[in-house]
Amino acid sequence: MGIGGRFLPYGRQDIDADDLAAVAEALQSDYLTTGPTVGLFEKEFAAAVGARYAVASNSGTAALHLACLAADLGPGDSVIVPAITFMATANAARYCGAEVIFADVDPDSGLLTLETFQAALDANPRAVVRAVLPVHLNGYSVDMPSIRAIAEPRGIAVIEDACHALGGTQAAGNKSQAPVGACALSDMACFSLHPVKTVTSGEGGVTTTNDERAYKRMSRFRTHGITRDPAEWVYADQGFDADGAPNPWYHELAELGFNFRITDFACALGRSQMKRLPLFAARRRALMDRYRSLLKPLAPHIRAVPSQAGGDAVLHLSAVLIDFPAIGRSRAQAMQALKADGVGTQVHYIPVNRQPYYRRRYGHQRLPGADAYYERVLSIPLFTTMRDEDVDRVVDALRRLIP
Ligand SMILES: Cc1ncc(COP(=O)(O)O)c(C=O)c1O
């Protein structure tokens, strides 16, 4: 253990007695997998972010995959994904058979921009671009009015990867703001409920939408592609009895889906955690305010990823940009020194286009904004049970890196 006590990971969950009680109650109920809690969680989640519908699944990756399926992506289609993201954003498109076009990002925020989105389209004039997946990296929203303005006239679906951004607001056009997940300027928004995220259900994901058709399709894809809705059945002779009543056992496989179901006890945890979302958001914002003011004197060697205008973000990650040549240490050396001081760090993310799978498929691609972001970025501890003194300790450890 380094200076000042307990080891601070870059992120961790915040579980209280109410969460434990909610899970214990769910485990003692009649349902372990899909029961009434899943539907209740979906309704409450949709209401919390201001969307009409929410579909809960067993990971953020499944939430993205369901969205890509509902957007009817398939072979022959292309999807634009920013190079700085977790690989699941790109993989979701590939699961459907679509090709990925990696867009560059702003070098300081790591976000897809109007210019980098347009450049990706211009560089691929023959591609049938059917969707774009803006990623709200760290929790800062992409400028959605710009993305929508380019996507809408071209019939490009907008699927937000909001896995980092639960609880924040974003620009919604005409100087207004909307909660992230309300899908004010998108077709769908996808969230992860992994333990390091703002709210957790263990593993879990949610896709929100205002489109009833997308909602129904995602609900069906989540459970193998099975429909129990008599109105959707193809074989009336098998589905209905002589009096025209639906047969009680009958169901049909309408299309090929998956088992992306989430358990009732995971949703019990999710419901309990969502009650504390306003508290989590306030604490994360307070911690970030403290970081921002304490980090200011460390510039230009070390500085916080700049805040983005247009919305009031709730950050999942606290990321700093470090000029490693200027401090005379490699990133690995800096991470080791911070670890010795009890400070956990991580890199979010290696540009996805550099991953061997994508390199083999699409070849080498130079994306200067993504490369510049990746060269400097480091995530430092941010979680709600951090104390103010912990923030001070992290900044002290960072200060000691500067010669
Ligand atoms: C930006 C982003 N997209 C997608 C995912 C996938 O979420 P999950 O880990 O819940 O599958 C994550 C989670 O790490 C993420 O950070």
Side-chain angles (χ1 to χ4, degrees), residues 58-64 85-89 135-137 161-164 190-194 196-197 202-205 316-317 348-349:
N58 53 23
S59 68
T61 305
L64 285 159
T85 185
F86 184 56
M87 47 272 250
T89 322
V135 177
H136 305 318
L137 189 71
D161 183 334
C163 287
H164 292 190
C190 307
F191 296 90
S192 165
L193 305 175
H194 180 277
V196 291
K197 302 295 192 291
E203 295 277 7
H316 151 53
L317 294 170
H348 299 96
Y349 295 96

Coordinates of all heavy atoms in Angstrom, one line a residue, residues 58-64 85-89 135-137 161-164 190-194 196-197 202-205 316-317 348-349, ligand 1:
N58 N -28.8 -8.8 -20.7 CA -27.8 -9.2 -19.7 C -26.4 -8.6 -19.9 O -25.5 -8.9 -19.1 CB -27.7 -10.8 -19.7 CG -27.5 -11.3 -21.1 OD1 -27.0 -10.7 -22.0 ND2 -27.8 -12.6 -21.3
S59 N -26.3 -7.6 -20.8 CA -25.0 -6.8 -20.8 C -25.2 -5.6 -21.7 O -26.2 -5.5 -22.5 CB -23.8 -7.6 -21.3 OG -24.0 -7.9 -22.7
G60 N -24.3 -4.6 -21.5 CA -24.3 -3.5 -22.4 C -24.0 -3.9 -23.9 O -24.5 -3.4 -24.8
T61 N -23.2 -5.0 -24.0 CA -22.9 -5.5 -25.3 C -24.2 -6.1 -26.0 O -24.5 -5.8 -27.1 CB -21.9 -6.7 -25.2 OG1 -20.8 -6.1 -24.5 CG2 -21.5 -7.2 -26.5
A62 N -25.0 -6.8 -25.2 CA -26.3 -7.3 -25.7 C -27.2 -6.1 -26.0 O -28.0 -6.2 -27.0 CB -27.0 -8.2 -24.6
A63 N -27.2 -5.1 -25.2 CA -28.0 -3.9 -25.5 C -27.7 -3.3 -26.8 O -28.6 -2.9 -27.6 CB -27.9 -2.9 -24.3
L64 N -26.4 -3.2 -27.1 CA -26.0 -2.7 -28.4 C -26.3 -3.6 -29.6 O -26.8 -3.2 -30.6 CB -24.4 -2.5 -28.4 CG -23.9 -1.3 -27.6 CD1 -22.5 -1.5 -27.3 CD2 -24.1 0.0 -28.5
T85 N -13.4 3.7 -28.4 CA -14.5 3.2 -27.6 C -14.1 1.8 -27.2 O -13.1 1.2 -27.5 CB -15.8 3.1 -28.5 OG1 -16.9 2.6 -27.7 CG2 -15.6 2.2 -29.7
F86 N -15.0 1.2 -26.4 CA -14.8 -0.2 -26.0 C -15.2 -1.0 -27.3 O -16.1 -0.7 -28.0 CB -15.7 -0.6 -24.8 CG -15.5 -2.0 -24.3 CD1 -14.3 -2.5 -24.0 CD2 -16.6 -2.9 -24.3 CE1 -14.1 -3.8 -23.5 CE2 -16.4 -4.2 -23.8 CZ -15.2 -4.6 -23.4
M87 N -14.5 -2.1 -27.5 CA -14.7 -2.9 -28.8 C -16.1 -3.4 -29.0 O -16.5 -3.6 -30.1 CB -13.7 -4.0 -29.0 CG -13.5 -4.9 -27.8 SD -12.3 -4.2 -26.8 CE -10.9 -5.3 -27.0
A88 N -16.9 -3.5 -27.9 CA -18.3 -4.0 -28.1 C -19.1 -3.1 -29.0 O -20.0 -3.6 -29.7 CB -18.9 -4.1 -26.7
T89 N -18.8 -1.8 -29.1 CA -19.6 -0.9 -29.9 C -19.5 -1.4 -31.4 O -20.5 -1.5 -32.1 CB -19.0 0.5 -29.8 OG1 -18.7 0.8 -28.5 CG2 -20.1 1.5 -30.3
V135 N -20.5 7.5 -29.4 CA -20.2 7.0 -28.1 C -19.9 8.2 -27.1 O -19.1 9.1 -27.4 CB -18.9 6.2 -28.1 CG1 -18.5 5.7 -26.7 CG2 -19.1 5.0 -29.1
H136 N -20.7 8.2 -26.0 CA -20.5 9.3 -25.1 C -19.4 9.0 -24.1 O -19.6 8.6 -22.9 CB -21.9 9.5 -24.4 CG -23.0 9.8 -25.3 ND1 -22.9 10.6 -26.4 CD2 -24.3 9.3 -25.3 CE1 -24.1 10.6 -27.1 NE2 -24.9 9.8 -26.4
L137 N -18.2 9.1 -24.6 CA -17.0 8.7 -23.9 C -16.8 9.4 -22.6 O -16.9 10.6 -22.5 CB -15.8 8.9 -24.8 CG -14.5 8.3 -24.4 CD1 -14.5 6.8 -24.5 CD2 -13.3 8.9 -25.2
D161 N -24.2 4.9 -28.1 CA -23.6 4.1 -27.0 C -23.5 5.0 -25.8 O -22.5 5.8 -25.7 CB -22.2 3.6 -27.5 CG -21.6 2.7 -26.4 OD1 -21.9 2.8 -25.2 OD2 -20.8 1.8 -26.8
A162 N -24.5 4.9 -24.9 CA -24.5 5.7 -23.7 C -24.1 5.0 -22.5 O -24.4 5.3 -21.4 CB -26.0 6.3 -23.6
C163 N -23.2 3.9 -22.7 CA -22.8 3.1 -21.6 C -22.1 3.8 -20.5 O -22.1 3.4 -19.4 CB -21.9 1.9 -22.1 SG -22.9 0.7 -23.0
H164 N -21.5 5.0 -20.9 CA -20.8 5.8 -19.9 C -21.6 6.9 -19.3 O -21.1 7.7 -18.4 CB -19.5 6.4 -20.5 CG -18.4 5.5 -20.9 ND1 -17.2 5.9 -21.3 CD2 -18.4 4.1 -21.0 CE1 -16.5 4.8 -21.6 NE2 -17.2 3.7 -21.4
C190 N -28.1 3.0 -25.7 CA -27.7 1.7 -25.0 C -26.9 2.0 -23.8 O -25.9 2.8 -23.8 CB -26.9 0.8 -26.0 SG -27.7 0.6 -27.6
F191 N -27.2 1.3 -22.7 CA -26.5 1.5 -21.4 C -25.9 0.1 -20.9 O -26.5 -0.9 -21.2 CB -27.5 2.0 -20.4 CG -28.1 3.3 -20.7 CD1 -29.2 3.5 -21.4 CD2 -27.4 4.5 -20.2 CE1 -29.7 4.7 -21.7 CE2 -27.9 5.7 -20.5 CZ -29.1 5.8 -21.3
S192 N -24.8 0.2 -20.2 CA -24.3 -0.9 -19.5 C -24.5 -0.8 -18.0 O -24.4 0.3 -17.5 CB -22.8 -1.0 -19.8 OG -22.1 -1.9 -18.9
L193 N -24.7 -1.9 -17.3 CA -24.9 -1.9 -15.9 C -23.8 -2.7 -15.2 O -24.0 -3.3 -14.2 CB -26.3 -2.4 -15.5 CG -27.5 -1.7 -16.2 CD1 -28.8 -2.4 -15.9 CD2 -27.5 -0.2 -15.8
H194 N -22.6 -2.7 -15.8 CA -21.4 -3.3 -15.3 C -21.0 -2.6 -14.0 O -21.3 -1.4 -13.8 CB -20.3 -3.2 -16.4 CG -19.0 -3.8 -16.0 ND1 -18.1 -3.2 -15.2 CD2 -18.5 -5.0 -16.2 CE1 -17.1 -4.0 -15.0 NE2 -17.3 -5.1 -15.6
V196 N -18.5 -1.2 -12.7 CA -17.8 0.1 -12.6 C -18.7 1.3 -13.2 O -18.3 2.4 -13.1 CB -16.4 0.1 -13.4 CG1 -15.4 -0.7 -12.6 CG2 -16.6 -0.3 -14.8
K197 N -19.8 1.0 -13.7 CA -20.7 2.1 -14.3 C -21.4 2.8 -13.2 O -21.4 2.4 -12.0 CB -21.6 1.5 -15.3 CG -21.0 0.7 -16.5 CD -20.1 1.7 -17.3 CE -19.7 1.1 -18.7 NZ -18.7 0.0 -18.6
G202 N -24.9 -5.9 -11.5 CA -23.9 -7.0 -11.7 C -23.5 -7.0 -13.2 O -22.7 -6.1 -13.5
E203 N -23.9 -7.9 -14.0 CA -23.9 -7.7 -15.4 C -25.3 -7.2 -15.9 O -26.3 -7.7 -15.3 CB -23.6 -9.0 -16.2 CG -22.2 -9.6 -15.9 CD -21.1 -9.0 -16.7 OE1 -21.3 -8.0 -17.5 OE2 -19.9 -9.5 -16.6
G204 N -25.4 -6.4 -16.9 CA -26.7 -6.0 -17.4 C -26.6 -4.9 -18.4 O -25.5 -4.2 -18.5
G205 N -27.7 -4.7 -19.1 CA -27.7 -3.7 -20.1 C -29.2 -3.2 -20.3 O -30.1 -3.9 -20.0
H316 N -18.7 8.7 -16.0 CA -18.4 7.3 -15.5 C -16.9 7.2 -15.2 O -16.5 6.6 -14.2 CB -18.8 6.4 -16.7 CG -18.0 5.1 -16.8 ND1 -17.9 4.3 -15.7 CD2 -17.4 4.5 -17.8 CE1 -17.2 3.2 -16.1 NE2 -16.8 3.3 -17.3
L317 N -16.1 7.9 -16.1 CA -14.6 7.8 -15.9 C -14.1 9.2 -15.7 O -14.6 10.2 -16.4 CB -14.0 7.2 -17.1 CG -14.3 5.7 -17.4 CD1 -13.7 5.4 -18.8 CD2 -13.6 4.8 -16.3
H348 N -8.5 3.9 -21.3 CA -9.8 3.8 -22.0 C -9.7 4.7 -23.3 O -10.0 5.9 -23.1 CB -11.0 4.1 -21.2 CG -11.1 3.2 -20.0 ND1 -10.6 3.6 -18.7 CD2 -11.7 2.0 -19.8 CE1 -10.9 2.6 -17.9 NE2 -11.5 1.7 -18.5
Y349 N -9.4 4.3 -24.4 CA -9.2 2.9 -24.9 C -8.1 2.8 -25.9 O -7.8 3.8 -26.5 CB -10.5 2.4 -25.6 CG -11.7 2.3 -24.6 CD1 -12.6 3.3 -24.6 CD2 -11.9 1.2 -23.9 CE1 -13.7 3.3 -23.7 CE2 -13.0 1.1 -23.0 CZ -13.9 2.1 -22.9 OH -14.9 2.0 -22.1
Ligands
LIG1 C1 -18.5 2.4 -24.3 C2 -18.9 1.0 -23.9 N1 -19.7 0.3 -24.8 C3 -20.1 -1.0 -24.5 C4 -19.8 -1.6 -23.3 C5 -20.2 -3.0 -23.1 O1 -20.9 -3.1 -21.9 P1 -20.9 -4.5 -21.0 O2 -19.5 -4.6 -20.4 O3 -22.0 -4.3 -20.0 O4 -21.2 -5.6 -22.0 C6 -19.0 -0.9 -22.4 C7 -18.6 -1.5 -21.1 O5 -17.5 -1.7 -20.7 C8 -18.5 0.4 -22.7 O6 -17.7 1.1 -21.9

